[in-house]
Amino acid sequence: MSHTKQKKRVTPASSETLLTLLETLPGALFLLDDNATIVYANANAQTMTRKDVCGKPLWRGAPQLVSTSLYQAVQKAKQTREPTEVEYISPVTNSRLHVSLSPTNEGLAIFFQEYLEPQSPQNAFSQNEHMYRDLLESFSDGVTILTPQGLVLDVNQRPLADAHLQREEMIGKPFADSPAWSHDPAAQQQLRAAIARASRGETVRFEARIHPRSDLSLDILMTITSHRGANQQVEYLICAGRDITERKYIEDELRTLVDAIPHFVWIARPDGHVIYNNQRLIDYQAMSREQVEGDGWIAAVHPDDRQRVWDVWQAAIQRGVSYEVEHRMQDGINGAYRWFLVRGVPQRNAEGTILHWIGTCTDIDKQKQAEQRIKANEQNFRVLAETVPQLVWTTRPDGLSDYFNQRFRDYTHATWEQLYGYGWSQFLHPDDSERTLVARAHAFRTGTPYEVAYRFKEGQTGVYRWFLARAMPVRDATGQIIKWFGTITDIDDQKRTEQRLKASEENLRVLAETMPQFVWTTRPDGHLDYCNQRYCEYTHATFEQLQGYGWRQFLHPEDIERSLALRHHTLETGEPFEREHRLRNGQTGEYRWFLARAMPVRNEAGQIVKWFGTCTDIEEQKRTEQALRQSQERIRALIDSNIIGITSNEGDEEVLVDANDAFLHMTGYTREDLNSRTLTRMKFTPPEHAPLFQRVLQEVATHGQHTPIEAELVCKDGSRLPVLAGAVTFQGHPRQMIGFVLDNSARKELEQRKDDFISMASHELRNPLTALKMQTSLLRRQLAKQGLQASAPALSSMETQINKVTRLVEELLDVSKIQAGRLEYRQETVDLDALLRETIDTMQQTHPSHRILVRGAVQASLMADRDRLGQVFTNLISNAIKYSPGAETVEIDLEATLETVTIRVHDHGLGIPREQRDKIFERFYRATGPKQKAIPGLGMGLYIVAEIVKRHGGTITVESAVGKGSIFTVTLPKKRDTLD
Ligand code: ADP
């Protein structure tokens, strides 16, 4: 296009002239358009460039002429639109070139003049020029001067030599198109970008691999700087390419190595800008090298870790200290995060200046996870440790305790710092401290769990409580102890209970030793573990011989099997054990019966912890039982013998519940009648016996038995059977009686006959006696009339004897009458004092041997039978005299109350044995002592006396002391309506 323009402006005529002129010019002339393309070159110019250059850019068309100075001048002329000049040495011909540049309408006219003569060294210009060239060539680096567009203006020998190129072959062409760079499009692109940036004034540095020729590749570090003109405009660019092939080689080697190692490796500049990441790291992050470089790597860091990592990294950079941080880094392929330990170390030069940071990232994910698991476990442990009711602690393998749960701290009232290490041991009781620490040290040394009880101080109160400490080692996979976990359990209550138990056990032992039984204890399985001394003594064995099951040898062979079977059963069921068996006396070889008893002792959980047993000697009891059995057998024999009637009554109505055949036979009842349980006492007793039976029952109630009575039984047919009966209460129950009944009818009949005989005899005797008495008094009167006094004493003696017999017969008659209930009484008012006086007077006259002393008076008159009462006193006084042969007095005491009168007859005679005192009031009874027997009598007096007193509503009792005397006391009521 510019070419067309140019053609239009130049007229053929003038152009002809002009061209000729130009062609003849001594120098070389180039006309350039605005784009620095050669539009015209004169003949000299053609010669100089040695080719047809028209249409080509100046820089490429005339490389022999190109220099930085020229380029600068061209630029200047273009900008200023002013002519300018420049002089320089052609790098090709080494000739001096003087260049005049004139802006034209179309572009620029450049006129070169070549001076071939050598330069005077003094010439300043020449000096500069040469220096420039020498300098350029002195660089070991390849240096290329470029236009801001990237065209090569100048180049030193190094790149040309590497590429086997002539200068001309490079000058004026885009640097990026040179073979070294065009071989690799990436490198070419990199260079173009760098040139573009440099042309904007930046200094650009980069590494690249170039290929100056097919058989050569070089690693170069390119540095492109710009040169600015006076107006600050970038005039040209200087590219310095340093050959770093060797370093690169080493680096590559290293890098291969670094890439091969399983670690991630990175390198950063002193300012922290990451300049290198090894392949593994890049592969992991799945980012490009460029993305990772600089600060790009932070993107791969887990968001939660980012700030922290960044802060640590910045701090490390600032302070120039090693950098170490753990963080999660994302796996670029699957998006998962893994934990890494990232370390960076600053590399310094000799002066200490940081050259760069070299770092590694080590995958610690597994470790971290394990750690987290441990942490989680630890968390769990802590939660557990804080919730359990014990005091919990952990200790390092070296014995320093490093954890105490809240409860521990609360109890000791101490802080963690106070407890840490061995601090806790200050709370041990001084008496337990050494023992505990020794046990603990031993455990830590041997790695065996330990358990020790000690007193531990409550921090606030200072009170010691008993604790049970337990500790277990915790080992890692290799078996190494990594920790000790321990608990301390409050066992104070338990301990105290134990102590109490011990004390009570001690008490028990003392008790056991003092008890009259054998005392023993066994383990839950029956193994005897204690027995008292008494047991040992009896068996004549040591405890060692008895313990366990040794005691069994002393069991009677006949008892062994059943005793052991029962024991076995109770051990299994926990039921109390109770059995009678015989044990051998170890010394005599005799067996005695024992009652063995055992009770299980249970703990709070109900488990049997012990058996507590005793053996009680029941030999006597056994014998008694046997005796009882024998006597029972005898009784049975007696009952079954039916010699006497035997009955058994029960209950309030005394129902006959059992009777032997003899009884049934006596009464006519059948066994069926008996079994009907309707035979009450009422049915058997005649109504008039009711008072008698009342008395009998009273006696049974108080004495457990009653003296046999004579009574009548009402038989089934209503007839009456005289019996002799007695009863005892059965086993102490007054409502259960065993009675015996003897048929008394034969004796009764005999008695009756005797009574009848006495009655008849006394009647028969009375009549002749009365006749005899009358005859005697008649005889006395006749003899007195006849004055025959000599016979008087004989007659008196006769009369006395007759009176005696008469009295005897009277008494016999009285007894018969009493027996028949026919003794008659008169009723009259009797002055008792007068009667007594009269009686005593008479007695005193007839019995001068004793003085009868009367004390007191009764001063009472009674409704009574005067003669009968006189008979009472006479009888008592005569007995008193008769049975106190050696005594001098008989005393009579009289007393009266409002209701009664009392007459006591007191003698100092023989006295009456206790057992006979009741009997003397019975018919014909006489005391049995030899002295008594020597005194004549028939045993009727007191019988009659008692009857008369009774009939007067009174009582008669006797007190007596054998050898000292007796007192008979008669008490009579003063007033009575009628006589009984
Ligand atoms: P006896 O005709 O035998 O005296 P009693 O009926 O008067 O008959 O007395 C019965 C018995 O009581 C006597 O045999 C006598 O042993 C004893 N006895 C009576 N009174 C006394 C008395 N005062 N001192 C000692 N024994 C007496």
Side-chain angles (χ1 to χ4, degrees), residues 50 93 100 115 120 139 212 430 441 484 508 583 600 720 903 958 967:
R50 289 185 226 109
T93 62
S100 303
Y115 301 97
S120 138
F139 288 132
W484 285 79
L508 199 72
L583 288 174
R720 296 195 172 190
I903 302 99
V958 62
I967 304 168

Side-chain angles (χ1 to χ4, degrees), residues 494-539:
Q494 192 180 327
K495 199 79 184 178
R496 276 174 209 282
T497 314
E498 236 168 57
Q499 277 169 348
R500 270 205 303 279
L501 210 68
K502 229 181 192 170
S504 72
E505 236 169 53
E506 202 49 52
N507 287 344
L508 199 72
R509 214 154 268 232
V510 171
L511 189 72
E513 292 300 343
T514 51
M515 263 161 75
Q517 283 101 333
F518 302 162
V519 180
W520 45 271
T521 63
T522 75
R523 298 191 315 218
D525 62 357
H527 179 107
L528 184 127
D529 58 3
Y530 164 76
C531 70
N532 65 352
Q533 188 54 32
R534 209 170 287 272
Y535 203 161
C536 295
E537 280 164 11
Y538 178 80
T539 52

Side-chain angles (χ1 to χ4, degrees), residues 161-204:
D162 286 344
H164 290 183
L165 282 177
Q166 292 299 311
R167 188 174 181 276
E168 293 77 8
E169 288 175 282
M170 276 190 79
I171 298 295
K173 294 179 183 166
F175 185 44
D177 290 344
S178 63
W181 294 93
S182 62
H183 185 269
D184 179 357
Q188 195 177 35
Q189 191 50 46
Q190 198 177 11
L191 178 61
R192 282 192 185 123
I195 290 168
R197 279 167 62 199
S199 67
R200 290 195 293 272
E202 278 178 51
T203 297
V204 184

Side-chain angles (χ1 to χ4, degrees), residues 183 186 225 292 323 331 350 426 464 496 499 515 524 527 557 579 590 593 602 606 682 718 745 797 859 914 959:
H183 185 269
T225 53
V292 185
Y323 159 73
D331 182 333
Q426 64 185 297
Y464 285 95
R496 276 174 209 282
Q499 277 169 348
M515 263 161 75
H527 179 107
R579 184 166 161 74
E590 278 172 0
W593 277 100
R602 293 171 191 274
M682 285 278 281
S745 50
S797 160
Q859 292 174 333
R914 181 175 296 276
E959 298 158 68

Side-chain angles (χ1 to χ4, degrees), residues 257-259 261-268 274 276-278 280-281 284-285 297 301 309 313 322-327 329 339-347 356-364:
L257 192 72
V258 165
D259 283 344
I261 63 168
H263 284 260
F264 295 163
V265 180
W266 50 269
I267 299 168
V274 173
Y276 168 72
N277 292 282
N278 76 344
R280 269 175 199 274
L281 181 50
Y284 177 80
Q285 291 174 330
W297 56 273
V301 174
V309 170
W313 179 220
S322 294
Y323 159 73
E324 184 170 319
V325 68
E326 287 177 4
H327 67 74
M329 192 153 63
W339 276 96
F340 286 86
L341 168 66
V342 182
R343 281 209 182 95
V345 180
Q347 298 284 301
H356 48 251
W357 292 81
I358 293 180
T360 56
C361 309
T362 312
D363 188 332
I364 53 161

Side-chain angles (χ1 to χ4, degrees), residues 715-734:
C715 298
K716 194 176 180 182
D717 60 4
S719 62
R720 296 195 172 190
L721 179 73
V723 291
L724 182 69
V728 290
T729 51
F730 179 60
Q731 292 181 343
H733 295 285

